[in-house]
Amino acid sequence: MPNLALELGKLTASAGVTSVYGEQQDVDGVRVIPVAATWSGFGGAEEDGKGSGGGGGGVSLPVGAYIRRGDDIRFEANLISLLAVGIPFVWVAGRSLARIIRALKR
């Protein structure tokens, strides 16, 4: 039986920024280097002679891209991804702040 951990490592190596955006591109002297945040996880189990099973999954979130023009380099964020991440964070922060203020009033 091949080493399962190595096989899974090879599979997840390609599930990063290249699967979200692709490779870096050079367009009219401007280099675009994509940036993404990725997470993956796998698990498996085997019972004594009764069978085995496993599964896994991953998530890739496009964050933005570095834009390089000559010696100047800057980061441009993906606005939609930032909103998707920011809205739940603002909601949790607001709920927490409301509970803290309510506790301090008592």
Side-chain angles (χ1 to χ4, degrees):
M1 179 174 194
N3 191 340
L4 186 59
L6 291 176
E7 295 298 322
L8 289 174
K10 289 177 187 176
L11 288 173
T12 59
S14 64
V17 69
T18 55
S19 65
V20 176
Y21 277 128
E23 297 291 332
Q24 69 180 9
Q25 301 290 321
D26 292 320
V27 180
D28 295 331
V30 177
R31 178 170 284 180
V32 179
I33 305 166
V35 179
T38 61
W39 298 271
S40 61
F42 297 93
E46 182 176 346
E47 293 185 32
D48 296 330
K50 294 182 180 179
S52 62
V59 175
S60 292
L61 178 69
V63 177
Y66 285 105
I67 309 296
R68 183 177 181 191
R69 291 187 176 99
D71 291 335
D72 181 40
I73 189 166
R74 61 187 164 86
F75 179 76
E76 288 189 10
N78 182 340
L79 183 60
I80 294 171
S81 294
L82 290 178
L83 287 174
V85 171
I87 289 172
F89 174 75
V90 170
W91 183 81
V92 168
R95 294 275 296 178
S96 300
L97 188 60
R99 288 182 181 207
I100 290 171
I101 291 172
R102 192 175 322 133
L104 291 174
K105 284 183 176 181
R106 291 181 185 185

